[in-house]
Coordinates of all heavy atoms in Angstrom, one line a residue:
K167 N 120.1 118.2 98.0 CA 120.3 116.9 98.7 C 119.4 116.8 99.9 O 118.8 115.7 100.3 CB 121.7 116.7 99.2 CG 122.1 115.4 99.7 CD 122.3 114.5 98.5 CE 123.1 113.2 98.9 NZ 123.5 112.4 97.8
R168 N 119.2 118.0 100.7 CA 118.4 118.0 101.9 C 116.9 117.6 101.4 O 116.2 116.8 102.1 CB 118.5 119.3 102.6 CG 117.6 119.4 103.8 CD 117.6 120.8 104.5 NE 116.9 121.8 103.6 CZ 115.6 121.8 103.5 NH1 114.8 121.1 104.2 NH2 115.0 122.8 102.7
I169 N 116.4 118.3 100.4 CA 115.0 118.0 100.0 C 114.9 116.6 99.4 O 113.9 116.0 99.8 CB 114.6 119.1 98.8 CG1 114.6 120.5 99.4 CG2 113.3 118.6 98.2 CD1 114.5 121.5 98.3
A170 N 115.8 116.1 98.7 CA 115.8 114.8 98.2 C 115.9 113.7 99.4 O 115.2 112.7 99.2 CB 117.0 114.5 97.2
T171 N 116.6 113.9 100.4 CA 116.6 113.1 101.5 C 115.3 113.0 102.1 O 114.7 112.0 102.5 CB 117.7 113.5 102.5 OG1 119.0 113.6 101.9 CG2 117.7 112.7 103.7
W172 N 114.5 114.2 102.4 CA 113.2 114.1 102.9 C 112.2 113.4 102.0 O 111.4 112.6 102.4 CB 112.7 115.6 103.2 CG 113.1 116.1 104.5 CD1 114.2 117.0 104.8 CD2 112.6 115.6 105.7 NE1 114.2 117.2 106.1 CE2 113.4 116.4 106.8 CE3 111.6 114.9 106.2 CZ2 113.1 116.2 108.1 CZ3 111.4 114.6 107.6 CH2 112.1 115.4 108.5
H173 N 112.4 113.7 100.7 CA 111.6 113.0 99.6 C 111.7 111.5 99.8 O 110.7 110.7 99.8 CB 112.0 113.5 98.3 CG 111.4 112.9 97.1 ND1 110.1 113.0 96.7 CD2 111.9 111.9 96.2 CE1 109.8 112.3 95.6 NE2 110.9 111.6 95.3
M174 N 112.9 111.1 99.8 CA 113.2 109.6 99.9 C 112.7 109.0 101.2 O 112.0 107.9 101.1 CB 114.8 109.4 99.8 CG 115.2 108.0 99.9 SD 116.9 107.6 99.8 CE 117.5 108.5 101.2
F175 N 112.9 109.6 102.3 CA 112.5 109.0 103.6 C 111.0 109.0 103.8 O 110.4 108.1 104.2 CB 113.2 109.7 104.8 CG 114.5 109.3 105.0 CD1 115.5 110.3 105.3 CD2 114.9 108.0 105.0 CE1 116.8 109.9 105.5 CE2 116.3 107.6 105.2 CZ 117.2 108.5 105.5
L176 N 110.3 110.1 103.3 CA 108.8 110.1 103.3 C 108.3 109.0 102.4 O 107.4 108.3 102.8 CB 108.2 111.5 102.8 CG 108.4 112.5 103.9 CD1 108.2 113.9 103.2 CD2 107.4 112.3 105.0
N177 N 108.8 108.8 101.2 CA 108.3 107.8 100.3 C 108.6 106.4 100.8 O 107.8 105.5 100.6 CB 108.7 108.1 98.9 CG 108.0 109.3 98.4 OD1 106.7 109.4 98.5 ND2 108.7 110.2 97.7
L178 N 109.8 106.3 101.3 CA 110.1 104.8 102.0 C 109.2 104.6 103.2 O 108.8 103.5 103.3 CB 111.5 104.8 102.4 CG 112.6 104.7 101.3 CD1 114.0 104.8 101.9 CD2 112.4 103.4 100.5
G179 N 108.8 105.6 104.0 CA 107.9 105.5 105.0 C 106.5 105.2 104.5 O 105.9 104.2 105.1
A180 N 106.1 105.7 103.4 CA 104.8 105.3 102.7 C 104.9 103.8 102.3 O 103.8 103.1 102.4 CB 104.5 106.3 101.6
V181 N 105.9 103.4 101.7 CA 106.1 102.0 101.3 C 106.0 101.0 102.5 O 105.2 100.1 102.5 CB 107.4 101.7 100.6 CG1 107.6 100.3 100.3 CG2 107.5 102.5 99.2
I182 N 106.5 101.5 103.6 CA 106.4 100.6 104.8 C 104.9 100.6 105.3 O 104.5 99.6 105.8 CB 107.4 101.1 105.9 CG1 108.8 100.8 105.5 CG2 107.1 100.6 107.3 CD1 109.9 101.6 106.3
I183 N 104.4 101.8 105.4 CA 102.8 101.9 105.7 C 102.0 100.9 104.8 O 101.1 100.2 105.3 CB 102.4 103.3 105.8 CG1 103.1 104.0 107.0 CG2 100.9 103.3 105.8 CD1 102.8 105.5 107.0
F184 N 102.3 101.1 103.6 CA 101.4 100.2 102.7 C 101.8 98.8 102.7 O 101.0 97.9 102.5 CB 101.6 100.8 101.1 CG 100.7 101.9 100.9 CD1 101.2 103.2 100.9 CD2 99.2 101.7 100.8 CE1 100.3 104.2 100.6 CE2 98.4 102.8 100.6 CZ 99.0 104.1 100.5
A185 N 103.1 98.4 103.0 CA 103.4 97.0 103.2 C 102.7 96.4 104.5 O 102.2 95.3 104.5 CB 104.9 96.8 103.4
L186 N 102.7 97.2 105.5 CA 101.9 96.9 106.8 C 100.5 96.8 106.4 O 99.8 95.9 106.9 CB 102.2 97.9 107.8 CG 101.4 97.8 109.1 CD1 101.8 96.4 109.9 CD2 101.7 98.9 110.1
N187 N 100.0 97.8 105.7 CA 98.6 97.7 105.2 C 98.2 96.3 104.5 O 97.3 95.7 104.9 CB 98.4 98.9 104.2 CG 96.9 99.1 103.9 OD1 96.0 98.2 104.0 ND2 96.6 100.3 103.5
L188 N 99.1 95.9 103.6 CA 98.9 94.7 102.8 C 99.0 93.6 103.9 O 98.1 92.6 103.7 CB 100.0 94.6 101.8 CG 99.9 93.4 100.9 CD1 98.6 93.4 100.1 CD2 101.1 93.2 100.0
W189 N 99.9 93.4 104.7 CA 100.0 92.3 105.6 C 98.9 92.2 106.5 O 98.2 91.2 106.7 CB 101.3 92.5 106.4 CG 101.5 91.3 107.4 CD1 102.2 90.2 107.0 CD2 101.3 91.2 108.7 NE1 102.2 89.4 108.1 CE2 101.6 90.1 109.1 CE3 100.7 92.2 109.6 CZ2 101.4 89.7 110.4 CZ3 100.6 91.7 111.0 CH2 101.0 90.4 111.4
L190 N 98.3 93.4 107.0 CA 97.2 93.4 107.9 C 96.0 92.9 107.2 O 95.0 92.4 107.9 CB 97.0 94.7 108.5 CG 98.0 95.2 109.6 CD1 97.8 96.6 110.0 CD2 97.9 94.2 110.8
R191 N 95.9 93.2 105.9 CA 94.5 92.8 105.2 C 94.5 91.3 105.2 O 93.3 90.8 105.0 CB 94.7 93.3 103.7 CG 94.5 94.9 103.7 CD 94.7 95.4 102.2 NE 94.6 96.7 102.2 CZ 93.5 97.5 102.0 NH1 92.4 96.9 101.8 NH2 93.6 98.8 102.0
F192 N 95.6 90.5 105.3 CA 95.5 89.1 105.4 C 95.2 88.6 106.9 O 94.9 87.4 107.0 CB 96.8 88.5 104.8 CG 96.8 88.5 103.4 CD1 97.8 89.5 102.9 CD2 96.2 87.8 102.6 CE1 98.0 89.6 101.5 CE2 96.2 87.9 101.2 CZ 97.2 88.9 100.7
H193 N 95.4 89.4 107.9 CA 95.4 89.0 109.3 C 94.2 89.7 110.1 O 94.0 89.3 111.3 CB 96.7 89.3 109.9 CG 97.8 88.5 109.4 ND1 98.5 88.9 108.3 CD2 98.2 87.2 109.6 CE1 99.5 88.0 107.9 NE2 99.2 87.0 108.8
L194 N 93.5 90.6 109.6 CA 92.5 91.3 110.3 C 91.1 90.8 109.9 O 90.9 90.2 108.7 CB 92.5 92.8 110.1 CG 93.7 93.6 110.7 CD1 93.7 95.0 110.3 CD2 93.8 93.5 112.2
A195 N 90.1 91.1 110.7 CA 88.8 90.8 110.3 C 88.3 91.7 109.1 O 88.9 92.7 108.8 CB 87.8 91.1 111.5

Side-chain angles (χ1 to χ4, degrees):
K167 189 74 156 192
R168 184 185 67 76
I169 296 169
T171 300
W172 276 104
H173 172 76
M174 178 179 64
F175 283 133
L176 284 167
N177 289 316
L178 286 174
V181 171
I182 291 167
I183 287 171
F184 280 107
L186 176 64
N187 188 339
L188 182 65
W189 185 81
L190 286 172
R191 287 172 188 272
F192 290 105
H193 295 89
L194 292 174

